[in-house]
């Protein structure tokens, strides 16, 4: 398939590109990227990684980042 992906602002800081007409969404995180089919609610590609993302994923294994919900919990 071919998609025309356009940047969309993300509240999380992740890179997000969407093809609204076809329902495709590309999400790029520090440690992986994925292509999702929003219309059917499934992932088309997951765990896609560049060399830099592989390095981040390996670093996360050795020193996991703080869980998002743990950071918000009161001490």
């Amino acid at each position: 398939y071919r998609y025309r992906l356009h940047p969309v602002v993300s509240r999380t800081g992740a890179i997000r590109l969407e093809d609204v007409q076809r329902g495709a969404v590309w999400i790029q995180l520090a440690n992986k990227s994925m292509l999702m089919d929003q219309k059917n609610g499934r992932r088309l590609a997951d765990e896609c990684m560049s060399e830099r993302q592989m390095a981040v994923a390996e670093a996360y294994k050795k020193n996991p980042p703080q869980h998002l919900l743990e950071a918000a919990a009161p001490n």
Side-chain angles (χ1 to χ4, degrees):
Y1 298 101
R2 290 185 183 219
Y3 302 105
R4 291 186 183 258
L5 301 167
H6 302 279
V8 175
V9 176
S10 168
R11 288 183 277 180
T12 64
I15 295 173
R16 183 180 175 102
L17 305 169
E18 292 186 11
D19 182 334
V20 177
Q21 185 177 9
R22 299 188 105 190
V25 178
W26 177 262
I27 299 174
Q28 188 170 326
L29 306 171
N31 62 328
K32 72 175 184 175
S33 299
M34 63 194 91
L35 180 64
M36 302 179 73
D37 177 351
Q38 275 192 312
K39 287 184 178 181
N40 296 310
R42 63 187 178 104
R43 292 182 185 183
L44 301 174
D46 196 4
E47 301 286 337
C48 303
M49 293 184 201
S50 66
E51 287 184 31
R52 180 185 263 173
Q53 287 172 312
M54 282 187 228
V56 171
E58 286 300 315
Y60 281 177
K61 288 179 185 175
K62 295 175 185 171
N63 188 17
Q66 186 175 22
H67 190 276
L68 181 64
L69 297 177
E70 289 175 6
N75 291 327

